Amino acid sequence: CGKTLADWGAEVIKVEPQNGDFGRYSGQNFGVPTSEDVNPHFELLNGNKKSIVLNLKNETGYRAMLKLLGKVDVLITNYRQVALNKLGLDYKTLSEKFPKLVFAHLSGFGLEGPIASSPGFDTVAYFARPGFMLDFAERDTSPISAPFGVGDLTAGSTMAGAIGTALYKREKTGKGERVETSLYGQSIWGLGIVLQSVKHGAVYPRSRKEATVPLNNCYKCKDGEWIYISVLEYDRYCKSLFKLMNREDLCENEKFNNAKGGEENNVELISILDEGFLLYDRETWSKKLKEADIAHDYINHMKDVLVDKQAYENDFIIDYEYQSGEKTVIAQPPVRFGDSRVSQHRLAPKLGENSIEILKSLGYSDNEIEEMSEKGITLIRK
């Protein structure tokens, strides 16, 4: 959320403990370098920010945090409610001190309910609990491996938009607001259409060989590569597809030439389409489907995104080179304002890189900052 707002032009200050946000080191879990000078995982989520170290459990550090909150528009936190209460950084306390503050709280499972206080990374709250891992795997196989960070980034994007709305409301009313979202809630919102279908009888997990709509399914081509076709208007496009695979006979067969028939005879039709797609390689199929105006795309590997012109020419992903010469890639928030391209990427801050600057802006003297550093209340880099 903070990275998105920073990329959109906000000044974002990251308040870290003495040993730093764990995100400075967690890239090692994904095989990514985590040195102080080359840290792509931390860079992805913290470029364009500033960093200040404050020990919030210390009274002096807490008072410094309150001074900072008195100057900013928004507080973004993913601390659990019990931790916020202990620190005196809960919404009730802060809204009384700072009535114009927008308090943005991201949680694992929401603020109410029996597991509201449970820890919740996106692997458990976004993927495991809502059904992603079991119900989108091929039936009778193991659960899918949850990809790290997908829920975090999508929930953060939702929160960034909500913060903008809360700030607009404040402009109209003069009052701050608590804005809350969760990984579990974000996942359920994303699954909204699927959950409705389950409510009305759909059964998951399922096999691609039994897809309810055979024209909304994946197929293997002659070269062994996979392609996905997505036909929502069955009656409009089915005959065009049948002709592409030289099966004009299907166009007159009421078992397959209408949406009701295709659904009732889905297993048989998928078997026919499996044979048809083996006629040509994936590139040839793509050309034929494009000419027929049938929505489709390659089923790619993630490594393919790293060389995809479509991604680079829209700034969905950018190349980044560190001062050392080492290179990485950074995904970007997928929003553009007017004709502007991606904002200039500033290196993610070193731990406490901006402590002196920020504390001075809050009225602390050099001697006071030095004393705070000596007592472990802050960390300064000279």
Side-chain angles (χ1 to χ4, degrees), residues 156-171:
S157 297
T158 293
M159 179 60 88
I163 287 171
T165 302
L167 289 171
Y168 179 77
K169 179 181 177 182
R170 189 184 71 176
E171 289 296 307

Side-chain angles (χ1 to χ4, degrees), residues 122-326:
D122 73 335
T123 45
V124 296
Y126 184 90
F127 283 106
R129 189 175 184 87
F132 261 112
M133 295 177 66
L134 277 179
D135 285 350
F136 290 112
E138 180 75 10
R139 194 176 63 231
D140 298 326
T141 62
S142 61
I144 66 169
S145 296
F148 290 97
V150 174
D152 298 322
L153 290 167
T154 52
S157 297
T158 293
M159 179 60 88
I163 287 171
T165 302
L167 289 171
Y168 179 77
K169 179 181 177 182
R170 189 184 71 176
E171 289 296 307
K172 297 293 185 181
T173 66
K175 296 180 180 179
E177 180 73 273
R178 182 174 73 177
V179 183
E180 187 268 336
T181 192
S182 67
L183 293 166
Y184 187 41
Q186 180 74 34
S187 184
I188 289 174
W189 168 238
L191 289 169
I193 294 172
V194 181
L195 289 171
Q196 284 182 331
S197 69
V198 172
K199 172 66 176 178
H200 293 281
V203 178
Y204 286 84
R206 59 177 59 180
S207 168
R208 62 160 295 277
K209 295 181 180 181
E210 300 173 2
T212 304
V213 183
L215 270 60
N216 198 40
N217 202 9
C218 55
Y219 292 95
K220 183 184 284 188
C221 304
K222 184 178 181 179
D223 55 359
E225 300 291 347
W226 289 81
I227 200 166
Y228 199 99
I229 58 171
S230 186
V231 175
L232 301 184
E233 297 178 79
Y234 187 104
D235 293 347
R236 178 180 176 184
Y237 289 101
C238 67
K239 294 180 181 179
S240 296
L241 179 62
F242 298 155
K243 290 176 182 178
L244 291 179
M245 53 184 60
N246 304 321
R247 290 299 306 267
E248 285 84 354
D249 58 302
L250 300 178
C251 298
E252 308 303 323
N253 191 330
E254 292 187 0
K255 289 175 62 178
F256 309 120
N257 68 2
N258 61 89
K260 186 174 185 295
E263 181 176 340
E264 291 177 347
N265 301 282
N266 60 324
V267 174
E268 184 180 356
L269 180 54
I270 289 171
S271 179
I272 293 172
L273 296 177
D274 275 338
E275 292 183 8
F277 272 92
L278 291 175
L279 289 173
Y280 309 109
D281 61 34
R282 188 169 66 170
E283 184 176 354
T284 301
W285 263 118
S286 182
K287 291 178 181 178
K288 288 179 174 292
L289 292 167
K290 185 175 182 179
E291 291 172 359
D293 199 30
I294 293 175
H296 70 283
D297 210 337
Y298 296 166
I299 298 179
N300 285 331
H301 293 283
M302 286 181 283
K303 65 181 181 181
D304 297 321
V305 178
L306 300 178
V307 292
D308 188 356
K309 290 182 179 179
Q310 187 68 23
Y312 281 94
E313 291 188 13
N314 285 281
D315 292 326
F316 299 153
I317 190 170
I318 63 171
D319 290 314
Y320 188 78
E321 184 173 347
Y322 289 94
Q323 291 180 340
S324 65
E326 189 158 345

